[in-house]
Every structure is written in structure tokens, then in C-alpha cells.
Amino acid sequence: MKRLLWAVCICTAIYGTASLAQRTWNRFQTNPIVISMDRDKFAWNTTFPSLTVCPHKRIDPDKVDDYIKMFPHKFPTKEERDDFQYFMDVVSTVSYENLHRLEPVRNRTFGITGDDYLDLISNMSSSYKPEVSSGTVAKMYVQETVTEMGICFSTNSKVSVYNDYNYWKRNRWDLIKPNNTVYVHQLDGEIYAQLINLSSAYEVYFHGAMEVADISKHRYSFGALDYTTVELLGLETLTSANARDLTVSQRQCRYTHESEIMMTSPIYSFNLCTRECRMRLASRICGCFPHFYRSRGRRNEKLGNICDIQGLLCLMTIKDELITLKSNKMKINCKCLANCDDSSFFVQDYRSRPWFLGANLQWGISNYPKMQLKRDLIFGFTDLLVYIGGMLGLFLGVSLLSITECIYFFTWRIIKHFYNENAKEKLLL
């Protein structure tokens, strides 16, 4: 009876230890991070807000006329020439929100396939070269980039260069040394940057330096004859150094270099990941994806068919699902994690006034952030050993060191003993 009682007690203790150890292990694997607030605002720099500008007019009519003259057999009538001009204007600015604009040319292909759309848009684009100046020592650059709203221009972005059409066309996958990110500090006062020579009305998306414009995010539209000033608020989320060695599933975020899940980019960002998710969803439902996505993967394999007009009109039936990536009718699982280091910006105020020199945009941080979010490790591998060792001591009266010694005694020590005995016998022979 005593032996039975001892056996029950020992089995209960082993079960309790295993059960609690499993929970502790699960916590280490799924929830070792805490997001805390840092309010020492004079101790950090703030990333200057980046933006992407998408002009309303992107096609040069003269270049379209030259194309028509090169292929007169495709456009024998004035109506077809006008339709082609309209077609180029629409395709160059097409997004999931305005696919209905393709209805008038539903049955017109002009002998052009979806594979040629982006190349045509690039060759016929206007000479749109905005200039940027800032109140900081660091120089800002304007980078042409392909977005889900067409060919646009980004400033102070380290990511937009990987969506440059020339980068895609040359089948490049190498990492490019980024331009220096512009930072500002509380003691710098009000600092603004300015885009000039904006030749048409435009839409602008504000984002962090490690992100690209996303169609699901809020945008602002400004006129062709306005001088606009935008004041922004910023919030940054950083990940501490002690969390870098954790796995992606433990951190629940990704660094830029952790791009193994990406099909169309050598780096990772949350918005780049959602772009690919929309690309896969479009291909799954309509059998093709729009021309503003990269069509070839890392091994130069074709990732799917590029939509022609009929395919783009098919996407119009699921445009809400594509933009929001949410649906009650189908399962959408993007598996996109947040950026480990990220900057978010929110428009606090903007004002426009007529300007005789054309469209200009001025933007900056009006009120510096008083709070910064930080991912910190609160339950590391050392904590895991301490917790499990405490449970072994509570339930079984042993420690991890004792278990290690037992394993050594019954495995390596015995193996070493037999090895030494065999060595002695060989020497005697």
C-alpha cells in the first residue's frame, strides 16, 4: 500500500512538473515580449516622415501620338486613337478603387497584352521630376517607385527603390546601400521639407522610411495650383537589442532582412507583404494579377499571368476584399507581421492656398512625439530555466543540475568507461 501511495505521489508530481513546464515553454515561445512606453523624449531622435506622391496626370500625350504614328495599322480611325489615349490615361493611374474606368474600353485590346502594360506606361510617362529641399543638413532624394496606384515618387524612403521598374526590369535582387535616413530632435525646433515642381494635381501618402505607400491607408488629394503645408504627428516602435536573437514567431515581428517569405522583394516590410497577399488573392480568384506587381520571382520564374482589360474588370468584383484583405465569403490569411522597427505618422493639420508657381507641398513634424513604444524581452531563456528548475525542486525535490548529472552518469560516463576498458585490452594485446 505504501509503495502504491508513493507511486501515485511520484506520478502526480511528474505530471504536475510536465504540465507546468509545457505552459512555461509555450509562454517562452509565444509571449516573451512586452511593449512598453518610453517617455524620455530628449533621449531619442525621431525619423522624419517619408511620403509617396502620385500625380493625377502621368502620360505624355506627345509620346502617345508618337506611338500611334509608329503603328498606324492598329489605329485606323480617330475613334480608336481617342480610345487608346483614354486607355493609356486610365491604365497608368488604375488601382483597385477605380477599375470601373476601364468599362468604356472593355472590348478594346489594341493588340497589347497585360505583359506590356507597365513597359508602355514607363515609356510614355511624363517628364515628372519634382525636387525636394529640407531644413536639415541631410539631403533627401526623390525615387520613382511602382505602387498599387501606378508609378509614383517617394521621398526619404529606404524601401521604394526595390519597387523601381528599372530594378525589376534588370531582374535585380541585390541589396542597395540606402540613403541616410533623416532624423530630427526635440531641440531642433520646427523642421519642414518641401517638394516643388509638382506639375499636376496629386495624391500623397505619408509613411515611415522603412515602408511603402499602401492603398488601404488614408491618402490626401491636393490641387495643381495650391501651396500646401501639412503638419504631422509621429509615433515610433522600436525593438530592443535583447530581443533580436529571438525567432520571428517569438517576437511577432520581422526585421527588414528577414525576407524569406517574400516572393517579389529582397527585403521585408509589412506593406510589401500585404501587396503580395493581394497579388496572390487576385491570381486565385481571377487567374491573374495587375501589372503594377513584380511578375517574376527570385529564380526568374514567372509568378502568374498579368491581367489584361478583362482580367482587371474581373478584379472589380472583389475590389473591397483586395483593399481590406477581409472577407466573409473566402479565407484570406496573409501571415504578415509588423515591422520590428517602424514609424507611423498621422496628419494633424493641413492648409492650402493658391500659388502662382504651381503645386508645392511642404510637410514636417509640428509636435514632436512625447512617447515611444519599445519591444522588450521580459521572459528569456534564463527565465525559462529558472522557472522549470523551480518546478522540479517543488514537485520532485531535484534541480536541473541534478538531472544533468544523472544523464551524465548513465550515458557519457558509462560510454567513457567501456571505451577506456577496450583501450586497455588493446594495449595488453
PDB file of all heavy atoms in Angstrom, residues 406-425:
ATOM      1  N   CYS A 406      22.676  13.144 -13.529  1.00  0.00           N
ATOM      2  CA  CYS A 406      22.145  11.787 -13.739  1.00  0.00           C
ATOM      3  C   CYS A 406      22.303  11.360 -15.190  1.00  0.00           C
ATOM      4  O   CYS A 406      22.672  10.215 -15.486  1.00  0.00           O
ATOM      5  CB  CYS A 406      20.673  11.746 -13.330  1.00  0.00           C
ATOM      6  SG  CYS A 406      20.398  11.881 -11.553  1.00  0.00           S
ATOM      7  N   ILE A 407      22.006  12.272 -16.102  1.00  0.00           N
ATOM      8  CA  ILE A 407      22.157  11.954 -17.526  1.00  0.00           C
ATOM      9  C   ILE A 407      23.616  11.640 -17.835  1.00  0.00           C
ATOM     10  O   ILE A 407      23.937  10.687 -18.560  1.00  0.00           O
ATOM     11  CB  ILE A 407      21.644  13.121 -18.389  1.00  0.00           C
ATOM     12  CG1 ILE A 407      20.124  13.291 -18.212  1.00  0.00           C
ATOM     13  CG2 ILE A 407      21.987  12.906 -19.858  1.00  0.00           C
ATOM     14  CD1 ILE A 407      19.555  14.515 -18.896  1.00  0.00           C
ATOM     15  N   TYR A 408      24.513  12.440 -17.257  1.00  0.00           N
ATOM     16  CA  TYR A 408      25.941  12.205 -17.481  1.00  0.00           C
ATOM     17  C   TYR A 408      26.372  10.848 -16.912  1.00  0.00           C
ATOM     18  O   TYR A 408      27.113  10.090 -17.539  1.00  0.00           O
ATOM     19  CB  TYR A 408      26.745  13.327 -16.829  1.00  0.00           C
ATOM     20  CG  TYR A 408      28.229  13.038 -16.738  1.00  0.00           C
ATOM     21  CD1 TYR A 408      29.053  13.165 -17.856  1.00  0.00           C
ATOM     22  CD2 TYR A 408      28.801  12.624 -15.532  1.00  0.00           C
ATOM     23  CE1 TYR A 408      30.400  12.884 -17.775  1.00  0.00           C
ATOM     24  CE2 TYR A 408      30.154  12.341 -15.443  1.00  0.00           C
ATOM     25  CZ  TYR A 408      30.951  12.478 -16.569  1.00  0.00           C
ATOM     26  OH  TYR A 408      32.288  12.196 -16.490  1.00  0.00           O
ATOM     27  N   PHE A 409      25.864  10.534 -15.716  1.00  0.00           N
ATOM     28  CA  PHE A 409      26.270   9.295 -15.035  1.00  0.00           C
ATOM     29  C   PHE A 409      25.824   8.065 -15.809  1.00  0.00           C
ATOM     30  O   PHE A 409      26.575   7.087 -15.924  1.00  0.00           O
ATOM     31  CB  PHE A 409      25.683   9.285 -13.619  1.00  0.00           C
ATOM     32  CG  PHE A 409      26.126   8.110 -12.805  1.00  0.00           C
ATOM     33  CD1 PHE A 409      27.333   8.129 -12.114  1.00  0.00           C
ATOM     34  CD2 PHE A 409      25.334   6.960 -12.728  1.00  0.00           C
ATOM     35  CE1 PHE A 409      27.747   7.045 -11.364  1.00  0.00           C
ATOM     36  CE2 PHE A 409      25.748   5.874 -11.981  1.00  0.00           C
ATOM     37  CZ  PHE A 409      26.955   5.912 -11.302  1.00  0.00           C
ATOM     38  N   PHE A 410      24.611   8.101 -16.353  1.00  0.00           N
ATOM     39  CA  PHE A 410      24.055   6.907 -17.002  1.00  0.00           C
ATOM     40  C   PHE A 410      24.325   6.847 -18.509  1.00  0.00           C
ATOM     41  O   PHE A 410      23.957   5.871 -19.148  1.00  0.00           O
ATOM     42  CB  PHE A 410      22.550   6.835 -16.762  1.00  0.00           C
ATOM     43  CG  PHE A 410      22.191   6.496 -15.342  1.00  0.00           C
ATOM     44  CD1 PHE A 410      21.648   7.457 -14.504  1.00  0.00           C
ATOM     45  CD2 PHE A 410      22.423   5.219 -14.822  1.00  0.00           C
ATOM     46  CE1 PHE A 410      21.326   7.150 -13.193  1.00  0.00           C
ATOM     47  CE2 PHE A 410      22.100   4.906 -13.512  1.00  0.00           C
ATOM     48  CZ  PHE A 410      21.543   5.878 -12.684  1.00  0.00           C
ATOM     49  N   THR A 411      24.927   7.865 -19.074  1.00  0.00           N
ATOM     50  CA  THR A 411      25.192   7.838 -20.526  1.00  0.00           C
ATOM     51  C   THR A 411      26.682   8.009 -20.800  1.00  0.00           C
ATOM     52  O   THR A 411      27.399   7.031 -21.019  1.00  0.00           O
ATOM     53  CB  THR A 411      24.392   8.938 -21.249  1.00  0.00           C
ATOM     54  OG1 THR A 411      24.705  10.221 -20.652  1.00  0.00           O
ATOM     55  CG2 THR A 411      22.903   8.687 -21.151  1.00  0.00           C
ATOM     56  N   TRP A 412      27.158   9.241 -20.764  1.00  0.00           N
ATOM     57  CA  TRP A 412      28.521   9.523 -21.167  1.00  0.00           C
ATOM     58  C   TRP A 412      29.553   8.832 -20.271  1.00  0.00           C
ATOM     59  O   TRP A 412      30.577   8.335 -20.756  1.00  0.00           O
ATOM     60  CB  TRP A 412      28.747  11.028 -21.159  1.00  0.00           C
ATOM     61  CG  TRP A 412      30.145  11.423 -21.521  1.00  0.00           C
ATOM     62  CD1 TRP A 412      31.101  11.987 -20.729  1.00  0.00           C
ATOM     63  CD2 TRP A 412      30.765  11.241 -22.795  1.00  0.00           C
ATOM     64  NE1 TRP A 412      32.271  12.177 -21.409  1.00  0.00           N
ATOM     65  CE2 TRP A 412      32.096  11.726 -22.696  1.00  0.00           C
ATOM     66  CE3 TRP A 412      30.340  10.706 -24.014  1.00  0.00           C
ATOM     67  CZ2 TRP A 412      32.976  11.703 -23.769  1.00  0.00           C
ATOM     68  CZ3 TRP A 412      31.222  10.686 -25.082  1.00  0.00           C
ATOM     69  CH2 TRP A 412      32.522  11.177 -24.955  1.00  0.00           C
ATOM     70  N   ARG A 413      29.293   8.759 -18.979  1.00  0.00           N
ATOM     71  CA  ARG A 413      30.245   8.126 -18.061  1.00  0.00           C
ATOM     72  C   ARG A 413      30.385   6.633 -18.364  1.00  0.00           C
ATOM     73  O   ARG A 413      31.497   6.089 -18.355  1.00  0.00           O
ATOM     74  CB  ARG A 413      29.775   8.332 -16.617  1.00  0.00           C
ATOM     75  CG  ARG A 413      30.753   7.828 -15.573  1.00  0.00           C
ATOM     76  CD  ARG A 413      30.278   8.216 -14.183  1.00  0.00           C
ATOM     77  NE  ARG A 413      31.175   7.707 -13.153  1.00  0.00           N
ATOM     78  CZ  ARG A 413      31.111   6.494 -12.631  1.00  0.00           C
ATOM     79  NH1 ARG A 413      30.183   5.639 -13.038  1.00  0.00           N
ATOM     80  NH2 ARG A 413      31.972   6.109 -11.702  1.00  0.00           N
ATOM     81  N   ILE A 414      29.247   5.978 -18.632  1.00  0.00           N
ATOM     82  CA  ILE A 414      29.289   4.549 -18.945  1.00  0.00           C
ATOM     83  C   ILE A 414      30.005   4.312 -20.275  1.00  0.00           C
ATOM     84  O   ILE A 414      30.835   3.403 -20.417  1.00  0.00           O
ATOM     85  CB  ILE A 414      27.861   3.976 -18.982  1.00  0.00           C
ATOM     86  CG1 ILE A 414      27.238   4.048 -17.578  1.00  0.00           C
ATOM     87  CG2 ILE A 414      27.859   2.537 -19.493  1.00  0.00           C
ATOM     88  CD1 ILE A 414      25.781   3.642 -17.541  1.00  0.00           C
ATOM     89  N   ILE A 415      29.680   5.174 -21.278  1.00  0.00           N
ATOM     90  CA  ILE A 415      30.326   5.043 -22.597  1.00  0.00           C
ATOM     91  C   ILE A 415      31.836   5.239 -22.461  1.00  0.00           C
ATOM     92  O   ILE A 415      32.644   4.501 -23.044  1.00  0.00           O
ATOM     93  CB  ILE A 415      29.722   6.063 -23.578  1.00  0.00           C
ATOM     94  CG1 ILE A 415      28.244   5.720 -23.850  1.00  0.00           C
ATOM     95  CG2 ILE A 415      30.514   6.096 -24.884  1.00  0.00           C
ATOM     96  CD1 ILE A 415      27.510   6.772 -24.647  1.00  0.00           C
ATOM     97  N   LYS A 416      32.221   6.258 -21.688  1.00  0.00           N
ATOM     98  CA  LYS A 416      33.639   6.534 -21.489  1.00  0.00           C
ATOM     99  C   LYS A 416      34.332   5.375 -20.767  1.00  0.00           C
ATOM    100  O   LYS A 416      35.486   5.024 -21.089  1.00  0.00           O
ATOM    101  CB  LYS A 416      33.787   7.822 -20.688  1.00  0.00           C
ATOM    102  CG  LYS A 416      35.218   8.348 -20.622  1.00  0.00           C
ATOM    103  CD  LYS A 416      35.250   9.689 -19.903  1.00  0.00           C
ATOM    104  CE  LYS A 416      36.690  10.208 -19.853  1.00  0.00           C
ATOM    105  NZ  LYS A 416      36.768  11.511 -19.146  1.00  0.00           N
ATOM    106  N   HIS A 417      33.635   4.751 -19.806  1.00  0.00           N
ATOM    107  CA  HIS A 417      34.208   3.617 -19.067  1.00  0.00           C
ATOM    108  C   HIS A 417      34.485   2.447 -20.009  1.00  0.00           C
ATOM    109  O   HIS A 417      35.580   1.849 -19.973  1.00  0.00           O
ATOM    110  CB  HIS A 417      33.236   3.197 -17.955  1.00  0.00           C
ATOM    111  CG  HIS A 417      33.664   1.950 -17.247  1.00  0.00           C
ATOM    112  ND1 HIS A 417      34.714   1.930 -16.326  1.00  0.00           N
ATOM    113  CD2 HIS A 417      33.183   0.664 -17.310  1.00  0.00           C
ATOM    114  CE1 HIS A 417      34.861   0.713 -15.875  1.00  0.00           C
ATOM    115  NE2 HIS A 417      33.943  -0.084 -16.446  1.00  0.00           N
ATOM    116  N   PHE A 418      33.498   2.092 -20.865  1.00  0.00           N
ATOM    117  CA  PHE A 418      33.698   0.985 -21.804  1.00  0.00           C
ATOM    118  C   PHE A 418      34.801   1.303 -22.811  1.00  0.00           C
ATOM    119  O   PHE A 418      35.575   0.430 -23.204  1.00  0.00           O
ATOM    120  CB  PHE A 418      32.390   0.661 -22.525  1.00  0.00           C
ATOM    121  CG  PHE A 418      31.458  -0.178 -21.710  1.00  0.00           C
ATOM    122  CD1 PHE A 418      30.257   0.344 -21.238  1.00  0.00           C
ATOM    123  CD2 PHE A 418      31.761  -1.501 -21.407  1.00  0.00           C
ATOM    124  CE1 PHE A 418      29.398  -0.434 -20.481  1.00  0.00           C
ATOM    125  CE2 PHE A 418      30.904  -2.283 -20.649  1.00  0.00           C
ATOM    126  CZ  PHE A 418      29.716  -1.748 -20.175  1.00  0.00           C
ATOM    127  N   TYR A 419      34.875   2.551 -23.215  1.00  0.00           N
ATOM    128  CA  TYR A 419      35.921   2.946 -24.174  1.00  0.00           C
ATOM    129  C   TYR A 419      37.304   2.772 -23.557  1.00  0.00           C
ATOM    130  O   TYR A 419      38.229   2.262 -24.200  1.00  0.00           O
ATOM    131  CB  TYR A 419      35.701   4.400 -24.599  1.00  0.00           C
ATOM    132  CG  TYR A 419      36.787   4.931 -25.515  1.00  0.00           C
ATOM    133  CD1 TYR A 419      36.770   4.637 -26.874  1.00  0.00           C
ATOM    134  CD2 TYR A 419      37.832   5.717 -25.010  1.00  0.00           C
ATOM    135  CE1 TYR A 419      37.773   5.103 -27.705  1.00  0.00           C
ATOM    136  CE2 TYR A 419      38.832   6.189 -25.830  1.00  0.00           C
ATOM    137  CZ  TYR A 419      38.794   5.882 -27.185  1.00  0.00           C
ATOM    138  OH  TYR A 419      39.790   6.341 -28.011  1.00  0.00           O
ATOM    139  N   ASN A 420      37.461   3.179 -22.297  1.00  0.00           N
ATOM    140  CA  ASN A 420      38.750   3.040 -21.617  1.00  0.00           C
ATOM    141  C   ASN A 420      39.115   1.572 -21.425  1.00  0.00           C
ATOM    142  O   ASN A 420      40.286   1.174 -21.541  1.00  0.00           O
ATOM    143  CB  ASN A 420      38.723   3.752 -20.266  1.00  0.00           C
ATOM    144  CG  ASN A 420      38.655   5.269 -20.416  1.00  0.00           C
ATOM    145  OD1 ASN A 420      39.069   5.804 -21.435  1.00  0.00           O
ATOM    146  ND2 ASN A 420      38.133   5.959 -19.400  1.00  0.00           N
ATOM    147  N   GLU A 421      38.123   0.734 -21.079  1.00  0.00           N
ATOM    148  CA  GLU A 421      38.383  -0.696 -20.912  1.00  0.00           C
ATOM    149  C   GLU A 421      38.861  -1.329 -22.206  1.00  0.00           C
ATOM    150  O   GLU A 421      39.796  -2.142 -22.223  1.00  0.00           O
ATOM    151  CB  GLU A 421      37.112  -1.395 -20.415  1.00  0.00           C
ATOM    152  CG  GLU A 421      36.733  -1.043 -18.987  1.00  0.00           C
ATOM    153  CD  GLU A 421      37.756  -1.546 -17.984  1.00  0.00           C
ATOM    154  OE1 GLU A 421      38.396  -2.595 -18.255  1.00  0.00           O
ATOM    155  OE2 GLU A 421      37.950  -0.880 -16.952  1.00  0.00           O
ATOM    156  N   ASN A 422      38.200  -0.974 -23.322  1.00  0.00           N
ATOM    157  CA  ASN A 422      38.605  -1.513 -24.626  1.00  0.00           C
ATOM    158  C   ASN A 422      40.011  -1.052 -24.988  1.00  0.00           C
ATOM    159  O   ASN A 422      40.811  -1.812 -25.573  1.00  0.00           O
ATOM    160  CB  ASN A 422      37.623  -1.079 -25.707  1.00  0.00           C
ATOM    161  CG  ASN A 422      36.266  -1.746 -25.554  1.00  0.00           C
ATOM    162  OD1 ASN A 422      36.165  -2.850 -25.004  1.00  0.00           O
ATOM    163  ND2 ASN A 422      35.224  -1.094 -26.049  1.00  0.00           N
ATOM    164  N   ALA A 423      40.328   0.199 -24.650  1.00  0.00           N
ATOM    165  CA  ALA A 423      41.665   0.718 -24.952  1.00  0.00           C
ATOM    166  C   ALA A 423      42.724  -0.026 -24.170  1.00  0.00           C
ATOM    167  O   ALA A 423      43.817  -0.342 -24.677  1.00  0.00           O
ATOM    168  CB  ALA A 423      41.719   2.217 -24.640  1.00  0.00           C
ATOM    169  N   LYS A 424      42.446  -0.364 -22.889  1.00  0.00           N
ATOM    170  CA  LYS A 424      43.396  -1.116 -22.063  1.00  0.00           C
ATOM    171  C   LYS A 424      43.627  -2.513 -22.623  1.00  0.00           C
ATOM    172  O   LYS A 424      44.749  -3.025 -22.661  1.00  0.00           O
ATOM    173  CB  LYS A 424      42.884  -1.198 -20.648  1.00  0.00           C
ATOM    174  CG  LYS A 424      42.949   0.128 -19.877  1.00  0.00           C
ATOM    175  CD  LYS A 424      42.397  -0.045 -18.469  1.00  0.00           C
ATOM    176  CE  LYS A 424      42.430   1.270 -17.708  1.00  0.00           C
ATOM    177  NZ  LYS A 424      41.870   1.135 -16.334  1.00  0.00           N
ATOM    178  N   GLU A 425      42.531  -3.176 -23.072  1.00  0.00           N
ATOM    179  CA  GLU A 425      42.673  -4.529 -23.629  1.00  0.00           C
ATOM    180  C   GLU A 425      43.545  -4.510 -24.899  1.00  0.00           C
ATOM    181  O   GLU A 425      44.356  -5.420 -25.103  1.00  0.00           O
ATOM    182  CB  GLU A 425      41.298  -5.085 -23.951  1.00  0.00           C
ATOM    183  CG  GLU A 425      40.456  -5.401 -22.698  1.00  0.00           C
ATOM    184  CD  GLU A 425      39.080  -5.949 -23.062  1.00  0.00           C
ATOM    185  OE1 GLU A 425      38.814  -6.090 -24.281  1.00  0.00           O
ATOM    186  OE2 GLU A 425      38.293  -6.223 -22.142  1.00  0.00           O
TER     187      GLU A 425
END
